[in-house]
Amino acid sequence: MKQTIIVGVTSSIATYKSVQLVSDLLKKGYDVEVIMSKNATQFVTPLTFSSLTKHKTYVETFDREVDYSVEHISLAKRASAFIIAPATANVIAKVAHGICDDMLTTTFLASHCPKLIAPAMNTQMLNNLITKDNIAKCKQYGMSIVNSECGLLACGDIGDGKLATIPHLIEALEEALTIDKPLLNKKVCISAGPTREELDPVRYISNYSSGKMGYALARTARNMGADVTLVSGPSELDAPYGVHMIPVHTTKEMFDACDQVFDTTDYFISAAAPADFKALKKEVHKIKKDKNTNFTTIELEKNIDILKTLGSRKTTQKICGFAAETNNVLLHAINKYKDKNCDILVMNDVSKPGAGFNVDTNIISILSSTGKVDYDIMSKKELSTIILNSLINS
Ligand code: PMT
């Protein structure tokens, strides 16, 4: 059965963004109910939301068309999550103090599902101690705050108060909807993406890794309750919501970042494809073509093996390595599993269509002390749950 998300909409210039939020949630397969404050209807009409959700959009408590005394309770019971986005200083003050003077605030108080608040307002209003206190109170009552962002605000100011992006709102909802939290209070460090080794100021050695596998693992670990550090090489992907990102370029930088958190981490997952070699000497100026020959020689030296180095000094950490192979896949994977002191190793034959680099799916086998388990082609998101559970149980 579809999960029901209630989207509470209050009056802000960001109100129009909640239309996109509702549309994107519907596309993801959720049933969406919208409750608006009366003032929000000045910015967007209830009809806009009803056209999308195919449900009545609720506004006033005492609308004669519906028996709201019953309706708000039944909505509250059906909801899997309730998000107020955008949330004004006014509605935040009300829900912090249990004030129920319309359908939105009444249903919010009656709901027992995870509740999220996404503030959007002028910086001065956000920084006002009263608003800060109210936000802190909401947190104490167990509501999640999807922090606003810095940017150009409708009033012309540049500062904090911009509604979080729609992808971040949806990620925050997905995190709240994940009831099972086996990684609560655990620290997870994940490496993702490629690294780049410069040859000269305009050229580098790298590979086709997009970061998709590592980013999917980071999102799933976050949803499972973990405090996640994502050490990422250059990637075009959006940073996951609620994850501590450390952007790096070279394999040495990736090593340094992982090394810094390794001792305090519970799980280390090496999904990155770090460049194995770097130029012995990086040229200061662009390497020129030699007119007399078709060849030029660049001497390379081996890079540090991050996984092997950290694996050799593990104490309580559980470690997941990856093996990207194109031939003798199992043999190479078993060697890496042993050599790098992994608890589990995810083997992917990157020559298969739908597996490996820069695709949304993967075809993997997991090696562990109990043997090898093969999986059919699946999305990297689905596989990330399987990988994390396998690591937890290793
Ligand atoms: O990023 P995507 O586009 O989603 O692609 C996903 C992926 C193919 C990159 C991923 O599924 C994957 O297989 N990652 C490991 C890639 C790799 O470098 O494999 P490897 O067999 O060369 O290395 C073995 C292990 O050692 C890996 O865990 C790797 O992260 C690690 N390693 C490798 C070299 C190095 N210098 N340091 C390392 O830590």
Side-chain angles (χ1 to χ4, degrees), residues 37-59:
S37 70
K38 195 173 177 196
N39 287 340
T41 64
Q42 302 286 324
F43 286 95
V44 177
T45 68
L47 180 64
T48 309
F49 290 113
S50 298
S51 309
L52 287 168
T53 62
K54 314 287 181 266
H55 297 304
K56 180 183 167 67
T57 301
Y58 301 92
V59 184

Side-chain angles (χ1 to χ4, degrees), residues 1-7 21-22 24-34 53 55 74-83 113-114 116 170-180 223 381:
M1 209 176 82
K2 282 184 176 183
Q3 288 182 300
T4 299
I5 312 275
I6 304 180
V7 178
L21 172 64
V22 168
D24 288 358
L25 286 172
L26 290 163
K27 281 184 203 142
K28 282 188 164 280
Y30 295 108
D31 176 43
V32 183
E33 298 274 2
V34 176
T53 62
H55 297 304
S74 85
L75 253 187
K77 279 188 186 159
R78 257 191 305 126
S80 296
F82 195 144
I83 182 167
C113 60
L116 298 90
I170 292 177
E171 282 191 47
L173 271 167
E174 285 177 347
E175 181 184 10
L177 286 165
T178 309
I179 306 298
D180 197 18
N223 290 351
K381 185 179 176 183

Side-chain angles (χ1 to χ4, degrees), residues 209-211 213 270-272 304 306-307 322 336 340 348 358 380:
S209 172
S210 61
M213 190 69 244
S270 189
I304 184 165
I306 305 165
L307 180 60
F322 272 71
K336 284 178 185 171
K340 303 194 185 206
N348 41 191
N358 202 15
K380 286 180 176 170

Side-chain angles (χ1 to χ4, degrees), residues 240-311:
Y241 165 79
V243 158
H244 177 51
M245 278 286 287
I246 307 183
V248 294
H249 276 88
T250 64
T251 297
K252 175 70 170 62
E253 285 171 13
M254 185 170 272
F255 171 74
D256 288 343
C258 295
D259 184 39
Q260 266 198 2
V261 296
F262 186 74
D263 287 340
T264 54
T265 212
D266 297 291
Y267 298 93
F268 176 61
I269 303 177
S270 189
D276 287 310
F277 296 96
K278 63 180 176 186
L280 191 58
K281 178 173 171 287
K282 190 188 130 191
E283 297 297 335
V284 180
H285 297 292
K286 185 178 172 187
I287 301 165
K288 292 291 166 203
K289 278 178 273 186
D290 185 340
K291 290 187 191 96
N292 302 319
T293 164
N294 284 332
F295 301 101
T296 195
T297 305
I298 298 165
E299 267 195 280
L300 301 177
E301 65 173 329
K302 253 190 174 173
N303 251 329
I304 184 165
D305 189 320
I306 305 165
L307 180 60
K308 186 170 173 168
T309 311
L310 296 178

Side-chain angles (χ1 to χ4, degrees), residues 370-383:
T370 54
K372 174 169 81 76
V373 184
D374 302 321
Y375 296 91
D376 287 336
I377 186 164
M378 259 182 258
S379 71
K380 286 180 176 170
K381 185 179 176 183
E382 289 168 299
L383 285 169

Side-chain angles (χ1 to χ4, degrees), residues 27-230:
K27 281 184 203 142
K28 282 188 164 280
Y30 295 108
D31 176 43
V32 183
E33 298 274 2
V34 176
I35 311 179
M36 302 177 77
S37 70
K38 195 173 177 196
N39 287 340
T41 64
Q42 302 286 324
F43 286 95
V44 177
T45 68
L47 180 64
T48 309
F49 290 113
S50 298
S51 309
L52 287 168
T53 62
K54 314 287 181 266
H55 297 304
K56 180 183 167 67
T57 301
Y58 301 92
V59 184
E60 291 274 29
T61 319
F62 301 110
D63 182 335
R64 294 284 162 229
E65 279 177 47
V66 182
D67 182 358
Y68 280 109
S69 56
V70 178
E71 195 78 1
H72 80 272
I73 298 296
S74 85
L75 253 187
K77 279 188 186 159
R78 257 191 305 126
S80 296
F82 195 144
I83 182 167
I84 305 183
T88 57
N90 185 46
V91 81
I92 292 170
K94 284 191 201 173
V95 297
H97 293 89
I99 296 172
C100 312
D101 60 356
D102 61 3
M103 179 73 177
L104 201 172
T105 46
T106 309
T107 314
F108 197 78
L109 193 75
S111 300
H112 288 289
C113 60
K115 298 179 197 177
L116 298 90
I117 292 175
M121 66 194 77
N122 164 272
T123 312
Q124 309 293 336
M125 291 173 78
L126 187 69
N127 288 338
N128 188 302
L129 283 183
I130 302 173
T131 309
K132 284 188 163 184
D133 265 9
N134 288 336
I135 289 178
K137 230 183 205 90
C138 290
K139 280 187 194 165
Q140 279 166 24
Y141 286 124
M143 304 169 204
S144 304
I145 307 297
V146 192
N147 286 333
S148 54
E149 297 183 358
C150 281
L152 178 63
L153 306 175
C155 55
D157 288 355
I158 295 177
D160 196 358
K162 239 172 110 79
L163 181 68
T165 63
I166 306 300
H168 280 187
L169 294 176
I170 292 177
E171 282 191 47
L173 271 167
E174 285 177 347
E175 181 184 10
L177 286 165
T178 309
I179 306 298
D180 197 18
K181 305 274 185 198
L183 290 174
L184 202 63
N185 300 324
K186 297 289 179 197
K187 286 192 162 67
V188 176
C189 174
I190 299 168
S191 72
T195 58
R196 283 181 187 168
E197 300 295 345
E198 282 188 29
L199 300 175
D200 68 15
V202 298
R203 303 181 182 94
Y204 56 81
I205 304 174
S206 192
N207 58 63
Y208 294 113
S209 172
S210 61
K212 287 182 179 188
M213 190 69 244
Y215 280 50
L217 283 158
R219 290 192 164 95
T220 303
R222 174 208 59 206
N223 290 351
M224 288 177 161
D227 173 356
V228 181
T229 299
L230 179 59

